[in-house]
């Protein structure tokens, strides 16, 4: 499929995110992607197993539209906007990734070693994805929201707990990038 556009510059994406946040705040809605998992679990019947899932999921229907939009947006980005010629990696980063056996994206948005279809044939990568998924799920529940909810919605509303969560996310990301990822690969 032909690539029609480059990736958007940060100032376009940032402006659009801010406009969406203002719109949601105007209508009294709170943005966060991890809350969609709770809603989907409730729809699937998890409310019969745990009190956490007992709520009126129909009040969160608007957020499911956000989830659907994110999925459609991801599809459009991958299939029509995957010319990251305006995205460049620091040569030191490329060198560090190469030492871990991770290829540079080379004209793609993500390295194939981590995000290609071949990862599903590697028991090591599958284990990493499963453990990482559990940790992210636990972490977002423990922190009272995910990175998007805290960093975009909570920080824009000047919530102290969101500031603490975002600091924790960044520290965790740094620890993962500099200490744990090199051990795994």
């Amino acid at each position: 499929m032909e690539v029609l556009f480059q990736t958007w510059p940060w100032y376009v994406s940032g402006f659009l995110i801010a406009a969406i946040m203002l719109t949601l705040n105007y209508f009294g809605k709170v943005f966060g992607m991890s809350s969609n998992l709770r809603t989907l679990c409730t729809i699937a019947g998890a409310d019969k197993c745990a009190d956490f899932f007992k709520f009126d999921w129909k009040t969160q229907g608007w957020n499911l539209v956000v989830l659907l939009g994110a999925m459609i947006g991801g599809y459009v980005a991958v299939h029509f906007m995957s010319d990251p010629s305006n995205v460049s990696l620091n040569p030191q980063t490329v060198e560090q990734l190469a030492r871990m056996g991770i290829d540079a994206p080379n004209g793609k948005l993500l390295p194939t070693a981590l995000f290609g279809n071949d990862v599903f044939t590697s028991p090591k990568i599958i284990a990493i994805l499963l453990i990482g998924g559990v940790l992210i799920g636990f972490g977002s529940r423990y922190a009272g929201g995910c990175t998007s909810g805290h960093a975009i919605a909570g920080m824009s509303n000047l919530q102290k707990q969101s500031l603490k969560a975002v600091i924790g996310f960044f520290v965790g990301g740094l620890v993962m990038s500099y200490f744990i990822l090199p051990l795994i690969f």
Side-chain angles (χ1 to χ4, degrees):
M1 186 155 296
E2 182 181 341
V3 174
L4 303 176
F5 303 102
Q6 289 184 331
T7 55
W8 291 353
W10 64 268
Y11 49 84
V12 172
S13 302
F15 173 78
L16 291 173
I17 290 170
I20 290 167
M21 291 310 307
L22 288 172
T23 304
L24 289 173
N25 284 338
Y26 178 78
F27 288 108
K29 305 294 184 188
V30 178
F31 176 78
M33 294 305 280
S34 63
S35 59
N36 284 312
L37 182 57
R38 180 181 182 205
T39 303
L40 291 171
C41 288
T42 300
I43 291 170
D47 57 333
K48 294 171 185 64
C49 303
D51 289 340
F52 176 70
F53 297 107
K54 290 183 181 177
F55 72 101
D56 184 12
W57 66 267
K58 292 176 184 168
T59 62
Q60 293 296 310
W62 68 271
N63 212 4
L64 293 175
V65 174
V66 173
L67 177 65
L68 180 64
M71 293 167 59
I72 292 170
Y75 178 84
V76 169
V78 166
H79 293 285
F80 301 106
M81 302 178 78
S82 290
D83 179 17
S85 57
N86 61 342
V87 177
S88 60
L89 292 176
N90 184 316
Q92 286 180 306
T93 301
V94 173
E95 182 182 317
Q96 289 171 343
L97 290 172
R99 277 185 277 175
M100 289 186 274
I102 301 171
D103 57 327
N106 294 329
K108 298 179 298 240
L109 291 175
L110 301 167
T112 306
L114 296 176
F115 298 98
N117 288 333
D118 293 342
V119 300
F120 298 110
T121 61
S122 167
K124 177 182 175 182
I125 300 294
I126 291 172
I128 291 169
L129 290 172
L130 288 173
I131 293 168
V134 168
L135 290 173
I136 288 170
F138 171 78
S140 67
R141 174 68 184 114
Y142 185 72
C146 60
T147 53
S148 59
H150 281 297
I152 299 171
M155 295 284 287
S156 67
N157 289 323
L158 304 175
Q159 296 178 4
K160 286 183 183 179
Q161 64 269 27
S162 290
L163 176 61
K164 292 175 187 176
V166 169
I167 290 170
F169 297 148
F170 274 96
V171 169
L174 290 171
V175 168
M176 179 65 191
S177 296
Y178 287 101
F179 301 111
I180 298 173
L181 190 65
L183 294 175
I184 293 172
F185 287 97

